[in-house]
Amino acid sequence: MSANLSRTEGDPVDEPAASDAPAAEGAVTVVDPRLLVRQQGFKGYLDDFGRKLRSGELGSLPVVVGLIIIALVFQFQDARFLSAGNLSNLLVDASGTGLIAVGIVFVLILGEIDLSVGSVSGLASAVFAVLNVSHGMPEWEALILAVLSGALTGAFHGFFFARIGVPAFVVTLAGLLGWNGLMLQILGSNGTINLDPDGLLSQLTNYFFSDVAVAYGVALLAVVAFFGLSFLDSRRREAAGVPSRPLSEIVLRTVFIAVPAFLVAWLFNNFKGLPLAVVIFMVFIVGLDFVLRRTSYGRKVFALGGSVEAARRAGINVVAIRISVFTISGTMAAIGGLFLASQLNAANQSSGAGSLLMNAIAAAVIGGTSLFGGRGKTWSALLGVLVIQAISSGMALLGIAAAVQQMITGAVLLAAVVIDSVSRKTQKTAGRA
């Protein structure tokens, strides 16, 4: 494709177009980086990266840099931090909260909030425990009904928010209180139901694929899938006559994916093997990322987060999308709650309580999802929960009190929101918002 997507000063102009208008002072020209690579090589990417930084489009860069700094600081304090065992346990421990955070990402993209996810996660674990342990229902059936309980609570919140008009903050706050009370009622006077240590739910966070070929095989599959999908997407875009990534760039991106993928596989194999919990967590992240970025449904969710009125005028069913988003949030909260119950091997009165809600919301925000709506990725949940869990793990190794951990996590959350706010203001100033 030879046509330029933007015109810079000095380019020849045959005749003025009706749509041409003087750019605002300080505005940053939007250029497709795929076209820059074709025209200027990788120097074009560096130029575009500089433009994005100047316009406030930081993406995941701050959280990635922060995660590296956190890892280095704790490693210097205690050499066990980056050990295979600690990193493996860190990722397994992060899976439950991370799955809940994935659902929060969808809600935040709408510019709303869901305060009920902690209580919903506890309710799902209680439903599973009562059905399976107290009533003898097979684990698969109890598991499905527990997840459905989360989906129904989410749909309930979405209905009152989207159809009745109750603010999401209020309806989910009511859910936080109500579902927690229902959980206590279901658990009964005993308050704790122990799960089968050899059962299906227990294996979610306690099963490891000990064969080294499994971890390396999954890493290879991920790398091959990334390359294949990137290559097919590039050919499809090229056939449509729009900017596409050259093969050299696809290969380079694949290498950047392959190095950490095989490094993580090596770390897992130096401990107990590939954890089942991490595999399931990544499947949900990749699957829901595809839903958000590659489907018309995902585009409608982002459209609502950008402007509800504009989305409505474009023919989007605002009520249906809102209800579906809260249903997704409730479903992911239930799945995350089952993972947390698997770690404890029990459902009790403290399930879903404590700092779980705040950690799930903080993970989504710290990872890069905007509190103002319209921007976010499921990968934000992964990055954010890794930051929170890394702080928790490092503090535990150093023997630092939990109170200090909460203060540091709060400071990191505030920093993430400040960066998001400053980024939005910078983009408006640069004419990119």
Side-chain angles (χ1 to χ4, degrees):
M1 179 177 179
S2 59
N4 288 330
L5 296 185
S6 64
R7 179 164 41 81
T8 58
E9 185 177 356
D11 286 338
V13 180
D14 295 330
E15 59 181 11
S19 60
D20 285 349
E25 183 178 354
V28 178
T29 304
V30 181
V31 183
D32 194 315
R34 286 166 289 219
L35 185 58
L36 280 174
V37 169
R38 284 194 168 192
Q39 295 177 340
Q40 306 175 24
F42 285 101
K43 178 181 180 298
Y45 258 124
L46 296 177
D47 293 341
D48 187 62
F49 179 71
R51 276 191 290 269
K52 287 182 177 180
L53 290 182
R54 290 192 296 272
S55 65
E57 295 183 65
L58 301 178
S60 300
L61 181 61
V63 66
V64 172
V65 172
L67 190 58
I68 293 174
I69 293 174
I70 290 171
L72 292 176
V73 168
F74 283 125
Q75 179 65 15
F76 284 135
Q77 296 295 321
D78 192 319
R80 293 174 296 172
F81 182 79
L82 292 180
S83 66
N86 187 61
L87 291 179
S88 179
N89 290 331
L90 186 154
L91 288 169
V92 172
D93 292 342
S95 59
T97 305
L99 286 165
I100 299 174
V102 170
I104 290 290
V105 168
F106 278 76
V107 178
L108 291 179
I109 290 175
L110 290 185
E112 302 297 338
I113 193 68
D114 188 348
L115 300 178
S116 69
V117 290
S119 296
V120 172
S121 69
L123 176 63
S125 65
V127 168
F128 175 86
V130 169
L131 292 177
N132 175 242
V133 178
S134 301
H135 296 284
M137 180 179 288
E139 284 192 290
W140 274 109
E141 296 179 17
L143 186 68
I144 292 173
L145 290 177
V147 173
L148 285 177
S149 71
L152 290 175
T153 58
F156 178 85
H157 300 149
F159 173 80
F160 276 92
F161 166 59
R163 180 67 68 181
I164 307 300
V166 181
F169 177 89
V170 175
V171 70
T172 57
L173 178 60
L176 182 154
L177 300 172
W179 305 129
N180 184 67
L182 180 58
M183 178 194 71
L184 298 178
Q185 182 68 29
I186 291 175
L187 289 175
S189 58
N190 185 32
T192 300
I193 299 178
N194 294 320
L195 304 177
D196 180 4
D198 298 319
L200 172 66
L201 191 66
S202 179
Q203 296 303 306
L204 286 178
T205 57
N206 293 291
Y207 184 81
F208 294 79
F209 297 96
S210 57
D211 190 340
V212 296
V214 176
Y216 290 126
V218 170
L220 179 61
L221 179 63
V223 171
V224 171
F226 177 83
F227 176 82
L229 292 174
S230 299
F231 182 79
L232 291 176
D233 181 65
S234 177
R235 298 289 78 80
R236 179 181 59 84
R237 294 180 66 87
E238 185 177 354
V242 295
S244 59
R245 303 188 190 280
L247 181 60
S248 58
E249 184 199 346
I250 296 176
V251 172
L252 184 60
R253 284 172 167 261
T254 303
V255 171
F256 282 140
I257 294 294
V259 171
F262 281 97
L263 178 60
V264 171
W266 176 79
L267 286 171
F268 285 148
N269 284 333
N270 276 274
F271 186 53
K272 295 180 180 179
L274 178 64
L276 175 62
V278 174
V279 175
I280 298 175
F281 185 21
M282 294 304 299
V283 167
F284 273 105
I285 288 179
V286 173
L288 292 177
D289 176 71
F290 178 85
V291 170
L292 272 180
R293 297 196 302 116
R294 300 290 184 177
T295 66
S296 60
Y297 172 79
R299 288 188 286 272
K300 291 175 183 178
V301 173
F302 280 109
L304 258 66
S307 173
V308 175
E309 186 58 32
R312 183 179 287 110
R313 292 184 179 183
I316 295 176
N317 190 332
V318 174
V319 172
I321 296 298
R322 282 176 164 175
I323 292 177
S324 68
V325 165
F326 277 89
T327 302
I328 290 173
S329 179
T331 302
M332 295 308 299
I335 295 172
L338 293 173
F339 272 70
L340 294 172
S342 175
Q343 293 176 19
L344 295 174
N345 204 36
N348 55 43
Q349 295 178 341
S350 63
S351 297
S355 59
L356 176 61
L357 169 62
M358 291 298 102
N359 282 343
I361 296 175
V365 176
I366 290 172
T369 301
S370 176
L371 279 171
F372 304 98
R375 187 174 75 246
K377 299 178 181 179
T378 58
W379 295 97
S380 302
L382 174 62
L383 291 173
V385 79
L386 285 179
V387 169
I388 293 174
Q389 200 61 45
I391 293 173
S392 175
S393 177
M395 293 288 186
L397 288 176
L398 299 178
I400 299 176
V404 178
Q405 174 190 331
Q406 292 185 1
M407 288 188 285
I408 293 177
T409 303
V412 173
L413 174 60
L414 177 60
V417 177
V418 168
I419 291 174
D420 183 34
S421 300
V422 172
S423 174
R424 290 176 64 87
K425 290 182 179 179
T426 305
Q427 289 182 50
K428 288 182 179 180
T429 303
R432 297 291 291 271

